[in-house]
């Protein structure tokens, strides 16, 4: 299900913030802007539960601030959060709308939340309000994401009957955000539904060019290549997918990879999928955390060879050099991919990992 | 309106809507609470603990244990677990139950003592009372009924949280627990047991799916917003699956490691296993549906060696590459192209998945295009079985649902513990429509569905359904529909192959239409259905000849022509030439 989340993709600047550690940011966050930044950083670090708790605190303090409510909604729309609360996303977006009116970004957040709650007809009305106006009330990436969501709902609910309309929405989505990968991925799925694997492959090639670390794109490429008899290529995408999945496939630390395994997986990914610079940066960061300074330096050098202006890589390289010279300890180990409290704290209780009731596995 | 009246009114309305919607005088399925089966599953919930196994069971089996030609019913029960303080904590634990089919849709409970005919030295026959021998009182999960020793009667294997139980059918209406001497001594939380001749020696080997390592003494209590709830499976370490080679004489050897059954990463939490020949090399491979993790496909390389290739064949995860919570599973040709497609039921907010077999045997996730995705999205599916309920010559699908979290609604307004079951009618082209409420009020009644098995309980030429509901009475659905189509059935008897012929593939042709079915034995969720293969033929003439081809597990191929519809045919594997 597409969503309008806060981004968790590893852009260089975001990685900088991640490496610096959010504790420092939280301490520094005094005003509203700082609190907002801190919440966004928590989301980037995949510390969703803390982000949601900080969001609740923020809306309590600033109950008449639409931005605060919208931010809370967006936290709960995070696609990678297994235990998000869709209903809270909807209620927060509704509150934001009461305060700020039918602003496109707020209407969009509510649309995504309604879709998550399987209130599809409501979601479609909201999407229509933004996308079908002349001119559309949304544009660019937001318009694209809304159209992708509508296309997805059509494909899921109407099957073959919704195929043509979904394709039309996806065409618009691609025009609205030519660099976006999601419309291409969904269009590839639509082609695959009608056995047009060659067409799907074309879209997936473009998508993977835009998002080399997309798990979904690699998985679909595996299937499309398999059906087209391209065994080696299918296998290659499967091997990449398998490693990407291992990094994120567990919601509990008991079965999530530890730092050493993460490093090994990321090293394999760097070889298998060298165009995925985000994962290579993550490898450098992981090596740094493991005090493998030579490894981190080599990874950063390789990255900078490909992308000489990669600021985050430069920063990690500096940290590795300093740490190697004994001038600075390695950065703290970040929270695991889940909320970090999934294995229970103190009383042996687990919050996040127990949340079957959230139904969001 | 009080709850009781509300329920009654709802039932009445449901009955009306069934008749009105279907245009029939009576529903297609009638729940037979008067059939003599009084089994009530008990989940024995332990206050404040929420052991994950409490809402996971249990299974049900259909078997002809006494050789009278009628399908009997075996129901798996649970028992109190450490810390249980219920009013019945001190009572003797309940045991699994066996119900004998008396014919005419009447059943009677069997045991604990049974009357057995014993031949005396003077040649006369005297009846004596013997223990039935089925006294498993552990926390039960699944059941399967393979003919382990190829002696022509079904034996019994019950999976438990803790040691499993293997019973030898003595052929006189009693069983003997042979677990310890058999070598199948697994103390883990076992779920599905698939029986298939994996080494080609003519007897059934055992792949045992294990779920998780559960330590009742140190069980972690999980909470969400200060509410005690069932833990996510990821909080429990997976328990490794086991592969046992049948050495004959009810002796087994654990060959898991030697066979290469080495699970990747932390290992999967297996809930269903299906044996079938994925690559057409004449050897049976094994699909394992895992909960909250990637599925497995153990490819049989011969010599009891396996390699895991689910990812290669695109059935490890959803089409988009997301791990699922695959539970009950089944295999059938849904689109009439004579190859087999795979189905696994999934957790709430994951659609059930249908992997349609395509070019060169690679699969594609067609859950949504098939129509099975959207109606299942909010449901947690367990028992799942393809069968042609209306004899229209294509396989339909039944899925029983129910969340594993008994207070799910506290965390997600779209979720409930009890959920309605689904019946999806095949439109004839591999796409489905959810039509359960048109067929029976049963499909309007929310419950916690788990085990599901299908079989012709009354030998009237249509398939009936048995559903084991967690913490509730067993549901027995008699198929009473006025189906205009013809049918034909087959009882396979292996000779070089295992006598049960599990792993055989039967292809028929009638009036120009071909159909194929695999004989799986264990399928659905923790359950074991009728080993007779049943085909609806659609609207053909009463005397339309049927041609059948059996590909036996031994590799032999046998054809017979001009078989008559409307009856079960016994086909025995021919001797080697």
């Amino acid at each position: 299900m597409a969503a309008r989340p806060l981004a968790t993709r590893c852009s260089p600047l975001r990685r900088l913030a991640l490496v610096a550690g959010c504790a420092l940011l939280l301490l520094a966050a005094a005003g509203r802007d700082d609190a907002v930044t801190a919440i966004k950083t928590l989301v980037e670090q995949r510390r969703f539960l803390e982000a949601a708790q900080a969001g609740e605190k923020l809306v309590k303090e600033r109950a008449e601030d639409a931005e605060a409510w919208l931010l809370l909604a967006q936290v709960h729309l995070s696609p990678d959060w297994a235990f998000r609360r869709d209903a809270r996303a909807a209620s927060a977006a509704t509150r934001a709308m009461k305060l700020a009116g039918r602003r496109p970004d707020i209407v969009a957040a509510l649309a995504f939340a309604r879709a998550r709650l399987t209130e599809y007809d409501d979601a479609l009305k909201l999407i229509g309000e933004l996308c079908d106006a002349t001119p559309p009330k949304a544009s660019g990436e937001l318009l694209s994401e809304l159209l992708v969501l509508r296309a997805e709902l059509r494909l899921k609910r109407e099957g073959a009957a919704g195929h043509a309309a979904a394709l039309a929405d996806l065409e618009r989505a691609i025009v609205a955000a030519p660099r976006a990968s999601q419309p291409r991925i969904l269009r590839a799925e639509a082609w695959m539904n009608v056995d047009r694997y060659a067409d799907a492959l074309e879209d997936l090639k473009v998508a993977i060019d835009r998002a080399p670390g997309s798990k979904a794109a690699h998985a679909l490429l595996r299937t499309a290549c398999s059906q087209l008899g391209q065994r080696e290529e299918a296998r290659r995408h499967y091997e990449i997918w398998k490693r990407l999945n291992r990094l994120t496939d567990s919601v509990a630390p008991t079965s999530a990879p530890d730092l050493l395994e993460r490093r090994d997986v990321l090293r394999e990914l760097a070889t298998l999928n060298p165009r995925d610079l985000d994962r290579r940066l993550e490898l450098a960061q992981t090596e740094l955390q493991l005090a493998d300074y030579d490894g981190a330096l080599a990874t950063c050098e390789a990255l900078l060879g490909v992308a000489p202006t990669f600021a985050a890589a430069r920063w990690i390289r500096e940290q590795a050099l300093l740490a190697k010279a004994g001038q600075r300890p390695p950065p703290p180990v970040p929270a695991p991919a889940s909320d970090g409290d999934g294995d229970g704290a103190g009383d042996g209780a687990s919050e996040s990992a127990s949340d079957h009731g959230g139904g969001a596995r | 309106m009080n709850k009781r009246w509300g329920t009654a009114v709802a039932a009445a309305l449901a009955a009306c809507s069934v008749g009105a919607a279907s245009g029939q005088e009576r529903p297609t399925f009638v729940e037979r609470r008067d059939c003599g089966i009084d089994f009530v599953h008990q989940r024995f919930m332990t206050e404040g603990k929420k052991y994950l196994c409490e809402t996971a069971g249990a299974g049900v089996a259909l078997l002809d244990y006494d050789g009278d030609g009628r399908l009997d019913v075996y129901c798996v029960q649970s028992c109190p677990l450490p810390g249980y303080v219920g009013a019945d904590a001190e009572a003797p634990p309940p045991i699994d139950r066996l119900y004998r089919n008396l014919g005419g849709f009447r059943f009677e409970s069997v045991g604990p003592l049974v009357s057995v005919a014993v031949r005396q030295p003077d040649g006369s026959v005297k009846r004596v009372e013997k223990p039935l021998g089925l006294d498993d009182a552990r926390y039960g999960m699944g059941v399967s009924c393979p003919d382990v020793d190829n002696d022509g009667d079904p034996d019994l294997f019950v999976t438990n949280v803790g040691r499993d139980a293997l019973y030898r059918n003595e052929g006189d209406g009693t069983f003997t627990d042979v677990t310890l001497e058999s070598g199948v001594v697994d103390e883990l939380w076992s779920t599905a047991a698939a029986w298939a001749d994996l080494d080609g020696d003519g007897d059934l080997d055992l792949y045992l799916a294990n779920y998780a390592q559960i330590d009742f003494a140190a069980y972690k209590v999980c909470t969400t917003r200060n509410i005690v709830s069932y833990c996510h499976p990821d909080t429990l370490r997976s328990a490794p699956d086991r592969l046992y080679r049948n050495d004959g004489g009810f002796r087994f050897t654990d060959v898991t490691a030697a066979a290469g059954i080495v699970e990747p990463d932390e290992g999967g939490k297996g809930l269903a296993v299906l044996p079938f020949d994925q690559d057409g090399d004449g050897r049976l491979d094994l699909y394992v549906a895992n909960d909250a993790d990637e599925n497995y496909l153990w490819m049989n390389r011969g010599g009891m060696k396996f390699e895991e290739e689910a990812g290669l064949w695109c059935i490890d995860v959803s089409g988009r590459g997301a791990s699922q919570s695959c539970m009950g599973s089944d295999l059938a040709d849904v689109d009439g192209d004579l190859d087999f497609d795979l189905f696994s039921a999934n957790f709430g907010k994951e659609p059930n998945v249908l992997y349609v077999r395509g070019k060169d045997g690679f699969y594609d996730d067609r859950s949504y295009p098939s129509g099975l995705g959207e109606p299942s999205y909010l449901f947690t599916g367990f028992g799942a079985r393809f069968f042609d309920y209306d004899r229209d010559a294509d396989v339909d699908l039944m899925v029983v649902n129910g969340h594993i979290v008994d207070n799910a609604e506290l965390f997600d307004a779209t979720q409930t513990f009890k959920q309605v079951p689904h019946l999806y009618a095949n439109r004839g082209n591999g796409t489905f429509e959810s039509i359960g409420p048109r067929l029976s009020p049963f499909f309007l009644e929310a419950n916690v569905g788990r085990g599901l098995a299908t079989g012709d309980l009354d030998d009237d030429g249509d398939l009936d359904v048995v559903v084991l509901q967690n913490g509730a009475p067993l549901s027995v659905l008699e198929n009473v529909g006025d189906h205009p189509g013809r049918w034909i059935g087959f009882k396979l008897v292996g000779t070089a192959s295992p006598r049960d012929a599990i792993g055989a593939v039967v292809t028929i042709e009638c009036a120009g239409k071909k159909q194929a079915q695999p004989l799986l034995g264990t399928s659905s969720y923790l359950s074991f259905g009728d080993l007779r293969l049943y085909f609806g033929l659609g609207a053909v003439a009463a005397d339309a000849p049927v041609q059948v081809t059996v590909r036996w597990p031994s590799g032999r191929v046998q054809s017979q022509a001009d078989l008559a519809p409307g009856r079960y045919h016994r086909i025995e594997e021919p001797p080697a030439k």
Side-chain angles (χ1 to χ4, degrees), chain B residues 486-539:
Chain B
R486 309 283 173 193
W487 66 278
I488 193 168
F490 302 98
K491 169 68 180 172
L492 303 184
V493 180
T495 54
S497 304
R499 191 176 171 93
D500 278 348
I502 290 171
V505 171
V506 171
T507 305
I508 66 160
E509 183 170 3
C510 180
K513 182 177 174 67
K514 287 186 176 179
Q515 296 182 63
Q517 282 186 33
L519 181 53
L520 298 170
T522 299
S523 66
S524 180
Y525 178 68
L526 308 176
S527 298
F528 196 92
D530 193 345
L531 282 175
R532 294 174 298 184
L533 287 175
Y534 175 96
F535 292 84
L537 299 175

Side-chain angles (χ1 to χ4, degrees), chain B residues 321-506:
Chain B
S323 294
Q324 306 162 103
S325 304
C326 289
M327 294 177 276
S329 300
D330 204 6
L331 183 80
D333 174 16
V334 302
D335 48 6
D337 60 358
L338 302 180
D339 60 27
F340 298 126
D341 312 296
L342 258 170
F343 174 86
S344 285
N346 270 326
F347 197 70
K349 295 196 170 176
E350 290 171 358
N352 292 338
V353 64
L354 177 68
Y355 297 110
V356 172
R357 190 179 170 105
K359 183 176 166 59
D360 299 330
F362 293 97
Y363 294 84
D364 191 0
D365 175 353
R366 293 291 178 91
S367 307
Y368 281 102
S370 69
L372 294 176
E374 180 62 22
S376 66
Y377 181 66
L378 289 177
F379 295 83
T380 296
F382 280 89
R385 188 77 176 122
F386 285 113
F387 68 111
D388 187 353
Y389 83 92
D390 57 355
R391 298 187 196 151
D392 67 348
D394 56 36
V395 287
D396 310 296
L397 173 67
M398 182 165 169
V399 182
V400 292
N401 303 302
H403 210 285
I404 64 159
V405 176
D406 64 325
N407 49 5
E409 66 282 359
L410 297 180
F411 310 106
D412 185 340
T414 68
Q415 297 295 299
T416 53
F417 186 37
K418 293 182 176 181
Q419 299 175 348
V420 295
H422 287 144
L423 196 144
Y424 301 96
N426 193 331
R427 296 189 183 98
N429 58 1
T431 70
F432 293 83
E433 180 184 7
S434 181
I435 62 159
R438 286 188 232 160
L439 303 181
S440 170
F442 175 78
F443 295 96
L444 291 163
E445 188 177 337
N447 220 314
V448 185
R450 293 295 183 259
L452 183 160
T454 59
D456 190 353
L457 291 172
D458 49 0
D459 293 307
D460 65 347
D462 55 33
L463 293 176
D464 311 296
V465 181
V466 180
V467 179
L468 196 142
Q469 322 269 15
N470 181 277
L474 190 85
S475 292
V476 183
L477 303 179
E478 182 182 3
N479 188 335
V480 295
D482 297 321
H483 310 300
R486 309 283 173 193
W487 66 278
I488 193 168
F490 302 98
K491 169 68 180 172
L492 303 184
V493 180
T495 54
S497 304
R499 191 176 171 93
D500 278 348
I502 290 171
V505 171
V506 171

Side-chain angles (χ1 to χ4, degrees), chain A residues 86-117:
Chain A
D86 301 329
R88 188 57 173 146
S91 66
T94 303
R95 183 69 180 265
M97 192 181 288
K98 278 184 184 162
L99 293 167
R102 302 185 79 82
R103 237 171 56 187
D105 54 347
I106 297 174
V107 174
L110 187 57
F112 287 115
R114 292 271 183 246
R116 284 269 183 79
L117 288 164

